[in-house]
């Protein structure tokens, strides 16, 4: 097994599937089955999901909403996505706990690091909702912070592209993919892997990142449970 404890970062947009907004139930059910496969292999799984399929705080400013208020609205969107994924996981008999950085006791536990680690040790999937609980921080930063706190071996960033390229592969047919790249090279080349705060946290704490296509069935299990190369590894 390549990794014992992982943090899986999913974008809110990934949950839309072929829709323009909201949650595609086929897509989220596919993700639940993929996660179940690695849980059955004994992998400890923590998850952070974005909220861009419902509401993106930074875009709210353009509509006249104050930035801090918009960011809190975005955090609540991540909780909706987290609840949807929790429901999908429990539907396939995966024990799951949802912890949120903003207290909402009726639907989730408050984030407590020791409790989160204990859940992971017991084989439960732990979903972290509401970002860091603070405005001006992205869910990428929340993913990096939680991964470091629970001592994950790696951050797996599931996207709709199969790794990191020198330019946008959806716009440029001659884009070149990196199989491996260092944190320093990402800085120097100005590549967009995560926001700078999140990326710096990973670099300073020696936490590797793998960017991969989450929508290709089997990719998650290949990364976590085999030595087969998938996506792009950001290492030191």
């Amino acid at each position: 097994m390549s990794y014992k404890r992982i943090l899986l970062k999913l974008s809110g947009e990934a949950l839309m599937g072929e829709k323009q907004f909201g949650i595609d139930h086929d897509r989220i059910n596919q993700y639940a089955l993929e996660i179940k496969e690695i849980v059955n292999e004994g992998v400890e799984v923590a998850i952070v999901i974005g909220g861009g399929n419902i509401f993106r705080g930074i875009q709210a400013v353009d509509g006249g909403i104050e930035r801090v208020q918009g960011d809190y609205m975005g955090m609540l969107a991540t909780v909706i996505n987290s609840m949807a994924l929790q429901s999908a996981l429990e539907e396939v008999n995966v024990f799951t706990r949802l912890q949120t950085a903003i207290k909402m006791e009726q639907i989730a536990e408050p984030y407590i690091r020791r409790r989160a680690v204990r859940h992971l040790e017991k084989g439960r999937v732990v979903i972290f909702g509401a970002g860091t609980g603070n405005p001006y921080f992205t869910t990428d930063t929340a993913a990096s912070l939680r991964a470091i706190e629970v001592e994950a071996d790696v951050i797996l960033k599931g996207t709709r592209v199969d790794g990191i390229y020198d330019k946008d592969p959806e716009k440029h047919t001659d884009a070149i993919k990196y199989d491996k790249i260092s944190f320093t090279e990402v800085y120097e080349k100005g590549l967009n892997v995560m926001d700078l705060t999140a990326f710096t946290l990973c670099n300073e704490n020696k936490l590797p990142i793998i960017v991969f296509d989450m929508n290709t069935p089997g990719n998650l299990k290949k990364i976590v449970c085999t030595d087969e190369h998938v996506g792009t590894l950001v290492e030191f």
Side-chain angles (χ1 to χ4, degrees):
M1 185 184 300
S2 300
Y3 301 105
K4 174 63 177 171
R5 179 178 295 170
I6 67 160
L7 187 135
L8 177 62
K9 169 62 170 63
L10 299 172
S11 70
E13 287 88 343
L15 300 185
M16 290 192 298
E18 301 304 317
K19 295 185 175 183
Q20 299 300 310
F21 177 83
I23 298 169
D24 183 314
H25 294 289
D26 290 338
R27 177 59 51 80
I28 205 166
N29 290 337
Q30 176 209 328
Y31 286 175
L33 291 172
E34 298 263 334
I35 293 163
K36 179 180 181 176
E37 279 196 336
I38 63 171
V39 170
N40 288 345
E41 294 289 335
V43 180
E44 297 173 4
V45 181
I47 303 172
V48 171
I49 314 177
N53 57 319
I54 298 172
F55 189 88
R56 187 178 289 279
I58 200 164
Q59 293 174 342
V61 177
D62 297 334
I65 296 175
E66 180 201 9
R67 172 65 191 272
V68 172
Q69 192 81 334
D71 280 356
Y72 278 118
M73 292 166 71
M75 289 178 218
L76 296 181
T78 73
V79 176
I80 292 172
N81 285 339
S82 298
M83 291 173 69
L85 182 59
Q86 180 182 35
S87 179
L89 284 165
E90 290 179 343
E91 199 65 30
V92 293
N93 300 313
V94 176
F95 293 110
T96 312
R97 295 291 185 274
L98 171 57
Q99 293 194 345
T100 55
I102 299 172
K103 286 186 179 179
M104 43 188 82
E105 289 92 340
Q106 287 84 350
I107 58 173
E109 298 177 0
Y111 171 67
I112 299 171
R113 176 190 167 273
R114 287 178 179 270
R115 184 180 288 178
V117 170
R118 187 68 179 131
H119 287 321
L120 291 169
E121 290 171 346
K122 288 184 175 181
R124 299 165 183 156
V125 172
V126 181
I127 305 172
F128 299 117
T132 66
N134 301 289
Y136 297 100
F137 291 96
T138 66
T139 49
D140 276 351
T141 301
S144 301
L145 180 62
R146 296 291 182 250
I148 293 161
E149 287 179 312
V150 302
E151 299 180 340
D153 299 321
V154 65
I155 289 181
L156 303 183
K157 184 167 183 180
T159 67
R160 62 186 181 187
V161 294
D162 62 344
I164 299 170
Y165 288 77
D166 62 343
K167 48 193 168 185
D168 189 343
E170 295 182 341
K171 296 178 181 176
H172 303 276
T173 56
D174 61 340
I176 299 170
K177 179 187 170 187
Y178 300 99
D179 287 335
K180 291 183 181 179
I181 191 168
S182 69
F183 279 88
T184 303
E185 286 178 293
V186 171
Y187 281 126
E188 290 173 349
K189 296 177 187 295
L191 302 175
N192 184 25
V193 178
M194 286 180 160
D195 71 77
L196 201 54
T197 305
F199 197 72
T200 302
L201 267 175
C202 292
N203 189 17
E204 289 179 347
N205 289 277
K206 302 291 186 280
L207 180 66
I209 305 164
I210 295 176
V211 179
F212 73 106
D213 179 5
M214 182 67 186
N215 296 336
T216 299
N219 270 357
L220 182 60
K221 188 174 182 179
K222 286 177 185 175
I223 293 172
V224 178
C225 301
T226 74
D227 294 325
E228 188 172 340
H229 181 81
V230 177
T232 302
L233 170 65
V234 185
E235 55 182 5
F236 311 103

